[in-house]
Amino acid sequence: MQNGRNGQQKRKRNMSLHYSAIVLIVLIIFSVLSVTVFFNIDTAVVSGSSIYTADEIIRVSGIQGGDNMIRKNLGKAEKAITSELIYIEEAHIRRKLPSSVEILIVPCVETASLQDEGGYMIVSETGKILSLSEEPAEDTPVFYGVNPAEELKPGDTFKSEDETKTEVIYELMSLSENSFVSKITSFDVNDRLNISCLYDNRIDIELGVITDAEYKFRLADEIISTRISPGAEGRLKMLENGGQFLSKADLEQIDEIFLHNSEAATETVTEETAPETSAEPQETTNTSTKLNFE
């Protein structure tokens, strides 16, 4: 009985090994065929809005009919699309077995205009430089004082000479979808410790540092909508727990007082430093005067 059971177990082990070997051979054959005969690309479908044609996108991707979709480096093809076609933000290529691929395109959106010498850098939401223009892009906020790094060109990702200022610019751009921030027409980042912006072309907002920018914008929105007259112009300085608003009339009055005081101070200094003149004219002689200093 014992020998019979041992024999059955041995046969089972042999059968298991036999089936395992068959499965392994099948997998090897399938793997070889999948990268040689099977899964060759015969169709490429492009989806997603883009200013480029499907033929242009497929050509730049390097994907050709007959390419094996298993062996094809799709990551490299995606990078080629976004590098060479500037107005494409992202490209995602998916395999559709047995013989097609889908190229999903995410187009760039003009998000900001960064002032540079002689013009503007138009950038997308990720900071990709889309074009160089003499005028800012329509419906985008203008950034002043960005100090771009040298040799930036369309297709590059924007960066400032000041790394911290780069972070400030991207932080502000990331908030552009906020309904309040979307009404801001320009940002001034010349002094990254005292950032300011122009809201609705009528209210200058002094934000200070970039810390808690989202909170400051939310607070500014509340102040403007509930405490400032509609259509009012002026300057709003954000404080730790509130804000200080000066109307356009207040600012003009302050400027007048400052100008008046400056002129008065100038007149006083002029009077004090003016040379004294004699009431009667003195005769002019040819004699010289010698001064001795002890």
Side-chain angles (χ1 to χ4, degrees), residues 1-293:
M1 291 290 294
Q2 185 69 30
N3 290 335
R5 281 196 295 270
N6 291 337
Q8 288 178 354
Q9 291 175 354
K10 186 176 181 180
R11 283 195 296 273
K12 286 181 180 179
R13 284 196 299 270
N14 290 337
M15 291 295 291
S16 296
L17 292 174
H18 177 70
Y19 288 131
S20 297
I22 292 175
V23 171
L24 180 61
I25 292 170
V26 170
L27 290 174
I28 292 173
I29 293 172
F30 180 79
S31 298
V32 172
L33 292 176
S34 68
V35 296
T36 55
V37 179
F38 299 151
F39 307 128
N40 290 335
I41 300 171
D42 62 20
T43 305
V45 179
V46 178
S47 60
S49 175
S50 174
I51 65 174
Y52 305 102
T53 66
D55 288 342
E56 286 178 301
I57 294 171
I58 293 171
R59 176 182 57 78
V60 169
S61 73
I63 295 173
Q64 298 178 343
D67 287 346
N68 185 272
M69 68 168 60
I70 305 299
R71 297 172 59 188
K72 188 69 176 179
N73 187 335
L74 300 186
K76 184 178 179 180
E78 293 172 344
K79 187 175 181 180
I81 292 173
T82 56
S83 297
E84 296 190 36
L85 302 179
I86 293 175
Y87 272 80
I88 292 180
E89 193 79 76
E90 299 176 13
H92 304 283
I93 304 177
R94 299 171 181 170
R95 298 179 176 90
K96 298 288 186 179
L97 300 178
S99 59
S100 67
V101 292
E102 179 185 24
I103 304 175
L104 178 62
I105 297 300
V106 178
C108 291
V109 177
E110 295 180 341
T111 303
S113 300
L114 313 182
Q115 189 190 47
D116 190 16
E117 291 184 7
Y120 300 86
M121 293 181 176
I122 313 303
V123 301
S124 70
E125 60 184 341
T126 63
K128 187 177 185 181
I129 301 174
L130 306 178
S131 64
L132 305 179
S133 173
E134 294 182 356
E135 300 293 334
E138 188 176 356
D139 297 327
T140 64
V142 176
F143 282 72
Y144 297 103
V146 298
N147 302 120
E150 295 182 359
E151 299 182 356
L152 290 176
K153 60 185 182 302
D156 293 340
T157 299
F158 173 82
K159 60 180 179 180
S160 172
E161 292 179 345
D162 183 338
E163 185 177 343
T164 303
K165 188 173 287 189
T166 302
E167 296 174 1
V168 168
I169 293 167
Y170 281 108
E171 174 74 14
L172 293 172
M173 287 200 301
S174 71
L175 299 172
S176 62
E177 292 185 1
N178 179 290
S179 59
F180 176 81
V181 181
S182 65
K183 294 181 181 179
I184 292 176
T185 51
S186 66
F187 291 93
D188 189 333
V189 295
N190 274 290
D191 182 357
R192 56 184 172 79
L193 299 179
N194 188 24
I195 301 164
S196 63
C197 58
L198 179 60
Y199 173 80
D200 198 26
N201 281 317
R202 59 188 180 89
I203 298 179
D204 285 306
I205 303 175
E206 293 184 4
L207 295 172
V209 295
I210 191 64
T211 307
D212 297 326
E214 189 172 3
Y215 165 75
K216 291 175 183 176
F217 283 128
R218 189 165 59 247
L219 183 58
D221 186 13
E222 179 182 351
I223 293 172
I224 292 174
S225 60
T226 61
R227 302 182 187 181
I228 298 176
S229 301
E233 298 179 26
R235 183 176 66 204
L236 174 62
K237 183 174 183 178
M238 301 310 300
L239 305 175
E240 184 175 353
N241 294 311
Q244 179 187 57
F245 179 74
L246 292 174
S247 68
K248 184 178 180 180
D250 293 334
L251 294 172
E252 290 175 348
Q253 185 177 12
I254 291 172
D255 288 341
E256 288 178 2
I257 294 173
F258 177 80
L259 181 61
H260 175 75
N261 291 340
S262 297
E263 291 175 345
T266 302
E267 291 175 359
T268 302
V269 171
T270 303
E271 290 174 358
E272 290 177 351
T273 58
E276 294 183 1
T277 58
S278 176
E280 296 181 1
Q282 298 180 355
E283 289 186 7
T284 302
T285 65
N286 291 328
T287 58
S288 61
T289 303
K290 183 178 180 181
L291 300 178
N292 295 318
F293 296 95

